[in-house]
Amino acid sequence: MADIKELFGGGSLSCEEFTEKLAAAGLVILEGSADDFVSASREAELQGELQSVRDELERKLDAHRVSYAVKLELAKRGAINPELAAGVIGCDGIGGSDEEIRLAAEDRVRLLMKSEPYMFKGAPEPSFSTGSTHTGAVLDTDSMSDSEYYSYRKML
């Protein structure tokens, strides 16, 4: 901290000169009681903390906007479990204006519908083939024992 005589040059100053000298020395005069005074460096530190909190909240708000847009699009398209499907899609790399977020969400949901259609209502049921034929085979009932024959008849 500068000596007071060095700061003011040993002479008298106008109010404007006094304020300039204080600012150059990093000092601020605040109105209020002595308990209310905050140094200029502490004020700058608090401003920096405030800005970092604002940035963090802005980032969280953007993440919620994106997540909501993806889940809304999934629900519109008939996702069986939009929460689960949103986790599959992911929200990384989506951002910008509301319109840009909506378009990106639509694109990702469209891709998911193509690659994982079972996650959506009304998707065609997957069919599997065992390779065997499904003809109406006629069994030779004359060669069956009585218990085999009556078991066969019960199944019909």
Side-chain angles (χ1 to χ4, degrees):
M1 178 94 109
D3 182 74
I4 194 80
K5 289 184 180 181
E6 290 176 21
L7 185 62
F8 299 120
S12 64
L13 302 171
S14 69
C15 182
E16 196 173 291
E17 292 171 328
F18 179 73
T19 307
E20 288 176 11
K21 294 270 187 184
L22 283 177
L27 301 173
V28 176
I29 295 179
L30 301 173
E31 294 182 22
S33 68
D35 295 335
D36 295 337
F37 289 147
V38 176
S39 70
S41 62
R42 178 69 179 142
E43 184 179 357
E45 180 183 329
L46 291 173
Q47 287 291 342
E49 288 177 23
L50 179 61
Q51 188 59 44
S52 67
V53 169
R54 281 182 182 151
D55 292 344
E56 176 67 21
L57 290 174
E58 194 69 35
R59 220 171 45 256
K60 285 181 179 179
L61 180 61
D62 287 343
H64 284 294
R65 285 176 48 228
V66 169
S67 175
Y68 176 76
V70 168
K71 290 174 188 173
L72 178 64
E73 188 61 28
L74 285 163
K76 283 181 185 177
R77 299 284 180 115
I80 295 170
N81 186 341
E83 190 77 27
L84 177 67
V88 171
I89 289 175
C91 297
D92 298 338
I94 299 177
S97 69
D98 288 344
E99 184 65 15
E100 291 170 329
I101 291 172
R102 185 184 63 76
L103 292 173
E106 284 178 2
D107 288 343
R108 290 199 183 184
V109 170
R110 200 175 302 115
L111 288 173
L112 183 67
M113 288 179 78
K114 287 181 183 175
S115 65
E116 312 296 332
Y118 60 88
M119 297 182 87
F120 295 86
K121 295 173 189 161
E125 291 292 322
S127 61
F128 301 98
S129 174
T130 60
S132 64
T133 59
H134 298 285
T135 61
V138 178
L139 296 175
D140 182 15
T141 56
D142 291 336
S143 63
M144 292 182 181
S145 67
D146 287 343
S147 63
E148 290 173 333
Y149 176 76
Y150 289 113
S151 294
Y152 170 72
R153 293 294 298 161
K154 283 184 182 179
M155 289 190 297
L156 297 177

